[in-house]
Amino acid sequence: MTTANTATAAPPATVRLRSLVAEIRETVNRGLPPEPTAYMVAERLLPHLGQPDLLTAAQCEGDPTCYRQHVLHAEHDGSFSVVALVWLPGQCTPVHDHVSWCVTGVDRGEEHERRYRLVPHGGTSRLVATGDVVNPAGTVAAFAPPGDIHLVRNAGTGTAVSLHVYGADIARLGTSIRRVYDLPADR
């Protein structure tokens, strides 16, 4: 299983990143349920993707041993966090779900995602693949638990960088992963 290498300190934010955080804060502070909040945050994230002034070079550095998580912002009240994930070719997550609503946006490269559904199987459970999605640069996805089980990987030949916004304090939690699934699964 590959786990993220977490950067411990939030690097200085660019002007664009500070603007994005303000837009996310405004959306989250509306107090809507998780699913509409995620979709609205996705709309806020989309125009910032692929812009050269969004992330610093340090925020795009990978790790040869596993995908790398750079915590860019954690809201003081714990209501949301912004994270950059850097994926070198071949790196992937385990099959997992999340602690909160989540928005992902691919800034560069592309991410391959396999989505799963948990189904009863005899006296236990099994994961059934429900779809494979390729998310190229400039795409966003939004979801809220339950129904957020997936595996993400970089199947390309170059580095992929994505921004993830979570409805939780990832700086405190260390990860957005609620549960890793070690069950029989469609591959």
Side-chain angles (χ1 to χ4, degrees):
M1 173 177 74
T2 303
T3 57
N5 177 1
T6 303
T8 55
T14 64
V15 171
R16 180 176 290 277
L17 182 59
R18 286 193 302 271
S19 174
L20 173 60
V21 166
E23 293 174 34
I24 294 168
R25 181 180 298 120
E26 178 183 303
T27 302
V28 170
N29 285 344
R30 293 180 68 180
L32 297 173
E35 192 168 324
T37 296
Y39 287 117
M40 292 172 71
V41 168
E43 290 174 0
R44 298 294 187 124
L45 176 59
L46 186 59
H48 296 279
L49 296 174
Q51 299 302 316
D53 59 342
L54 178 60
L55 300 172
T56 67
Q59 294 165 337
C60 298
E61 290 179 0
D63 181 320
T65 62
C66 58
Y67 69 98
R68 186 167 185 192
Q69 174 178 280
H70 296 275
V71 178
L72 305 176
H73 176 82
E75 191 70 351
H76 65 87
D77 64 359
S79 59
F80 71 92
S81 300
V82 181
V83 174
L85 293 182
V86 182
W87 312 79
L88 299 181
Q91 293 179 337
C92 69
T93 67
V95 177
H96 66 281
D97 62 9
H98 302 87
V99 297
S100 70
W101 59 264
C102 178
V103 172
T104 63
V106 180
D107 188 59
R108 59 191 78 157
E110 66 181 24
E111 292 179 350
H112 293 243
E113 177 185 17
R114 173 159 280 187
R115 297 176 182 170
Y116 294 93
R117 179 172 46 92
L118 188 63
V119 296
H121 182 72
T124 63
S125 296
R126 175 176 181 74
L127 292 170
V128 175
T130 60
D132 290 303
V133 179
V134 176
N135 299 306
T139 59
V140 294
F143 51 86
D148 61 327
I149 303 170
H150 68 166
L151 172 145
V152 181
R153 64 187 167 90
N154 178 356
T157 58
T159 300
V161 178
S162 54
L163 268 73
H164 296 233
V165 183
Y166 302 106
D169 185 346
I170 301 308
R172 182 180 61 79
L173 297 175
T175 181
S176 67
I177 295 174
R178 177 173 71 109
R179 178 178 26 200
V180 171
Y181 291 85
D182 188 19
L183 296 171
D186 295 344
R187 297 283 172 201

